[in-house]
Amino acid sequence: MKRATILIADDESEIADLIAIHLEKEGYRTVIVADGAAAIRTVQTQEIDLAILDIMMPKLDGHEVTRQIREKHVMPIIFLSAKTSDLDKITGLVIGADDYMTKPFNPMELVARVNAQLRRSLSLSQPAHTSASVVEAGGLVVDPDNRSVLLYGHDVELTPKEFDILYLLASHPNKVFSAENIFQQVWGESYYGGGNTVMVHIRTLRKKLGETHHPIIKTVWGVGYKFNG
């Protein structure tokens, strides 16, 4: 069985080496780079299964690296940063990261999060016995196999988490989902105050979908959100 390859992008060599030691003990192959430009080159030239990115890096910061990765790749991304505010975490998740850990950190917890993200990534990539259904409503077409969204014939570029939220809601058009339920199903983790994260993702989804008088995602006050296609 092929060993998963983890990209570690951090200009603090001691931290990068510590992460690599723990991941390699777990059986992973690691690639270490010290700046954002090198991280992009590595993703373009090697098969990377998961990326761990520091936010404050030379040449390109973690946010820009994530934006560029997300243009062509759906690999899990974990941010590792000294920034600890909720706004920093939400910004990272909205940009396209799958998880966010703050420094200082427990290396074993990071390994556990890597394991969890790769398990989820593997399960999503496995072919199902039957293809998931394309959702069509009004001018909206959501295709889970190609992970594409069309609105009146125009492509709508979504981050992986934005797509997952939209498909979850759109495939259950009469069901109201609480923020807790959306977080648990999309992030695959126990809810630990992720309501703000869900709210911000819903807000950016609405902006990208260009909603006006007929919101595609409707807020059910005091309960959650539902698809209103």
Side-chain angles (χ1 to χ4, degrees), residues 134-203:
V134 173
V135 174
E136 299 186 42
L140 184 71
V141 179
V142 185
D143 184 342
D145 289 336
N146 296 318
R147 294 186 68 83
S148 63
V149 176
L150 294 176
L151 185 61
Y152 298 110
H154 297 285
D155 288 318
V156 180
E157 297 294 333
L158 302 180
T159 67
K161 288 295 188 289
E162 289 167 356
F163 180 91
D164 291 342
I165 292 172
L166 179 60
Y167 187 72
L168 173 66
L169 298 177
S171 57
H172 301 83
N174 297 313
K175 182 175 180 179
V176 180
F177 289 84
S178 67
E180 177 179 0
N181 194 230
I182 291 172
F183 191 86
Q184 289 173 337
Q185 295 202 45
V186 171
W187 274 265
E189 301 176 12
S190 299
Y191 184 76
Y192 50 88
N196 285 338
T197 300
V198 172
M199 180 183 68
V200 173
H201 277 74
I202 294 289
R203 185 187 306 153

Side-chain angles (χ1 to χ4, degrees), residues 7 30 36 43 61 116 119 132 135 137 150 153 172 180 201 219 226:
L7 170 64
T30 62
V43 170
D61 66 18
R119 280 197 303 269
V135 174
L150 294 176
H172 301 83
E180 177 179 0
H201 277 74
T219 300
K226 66 180 290 188

Side-chain angles (χ1 to χ4, degrees), residues 5-184:
T5 300
I6 313 299
L7 170 64
I8 304 167
D10 197 314
D11 60 329
E12 296 184 68
S13 59
E14 297 86 354
I15 291 178
D17 291 341
L18 176 66
I19 295 170
I21 288 169
H22 282 83
L23 289 174
E24 288 171 6
K25 284 181 179 178
E26 193 74 7
Y28 295 118
R29 174 178 174 265
T30 62
V31 179
I32 297 175
V33 298
D35 63 72
I40 294 297
R41 288 196 300 272
T42 301
V43 170
Q44 291 172 341
T45 58
Q46 298 189 42
E47 185 177 348
I48 300 298
D49 297 288
L50 180 145
I52 299 172
L53 306 178
D54 184 28
I55 292 181
M56 303 302 293
M57 290 188 291
K59 298 185 180 179
L60 295 174
D61 66 18
H63 290 166
E64 182 57 30
V65 172
T66 298
R67 289 190 187 96
Q68 293 192 29
I69 288 176
R70 285 290 175 246
E71 290 177 359
K72 296 182 179 180
H73 304 279
V74 294
M75 70 181 70
I77 295 174
I78 299 176
F79 273 156
L80 193 61
S81 176
K83 296 184 175 183
T84 60
S85 74
D86 287 342
L87 178 59
D88 290 321
K89 295 177 183 178
I90 291 169
T91 299
L93 295 170
V94 168
I95 286 171
D98 297 279
D99 203 350
Y100 190 112
M101 286 193 70
T102 57
K103 299 176 181 178
F105 62 96
N106 183 323
M108 296 310 298
E109 180 183 354
L110 178 58
V111 170
R113 295 194 184 202
V114 167
N115 291 339
Q117 290 295 335
L118 287 174
R119 280 197 303 269
R120 183 170 185 274
S121 177
L122 180 62
S123 68
L124 290 175
S125 66
Q126 294 299 316
H129 294 295
T130 57
S131 295
S133 300
V134 173
V135 174
E136 299 186 42
L140 184 71
V141 179
V142 185
D143 184 342
D145 289 336
N146 296 318
R147 294 186 68 83
S148 63
V149 176
L150 294 176
L151 185 61
Y152 298 110
H154 297 285
D155 288 318
V156 180
E157 297 294 333
L158 302 180
T159 67
K161 288 295 188 289
E162 289 167 356
F163 180 91
D164 291 342
I165 292 172
L166 179 60
Y167 187 72
L168 173 66
L169 298 177
S171 57
H172 301 83
N174 297 313
K175 182 175 180 179
V176 180
F177 289 84
S178 67
E180 177 179 0
N181 194 230
I182 291 172
F183 191 86
Q184 289 173 337

Side-chain angles (χ1 to χ4, degrees), residues 140 149 151 156 166 205-211 216-217:
L140 184 71
V149 176
L151 185 61
V156 180
L166 179 60
L205 255 177
R206 286 172 169 161
K207 183 177 180 180
K208 290 181 178 182
L209 294 170
E211 301 187 17
I216 293 174
I217 300 173

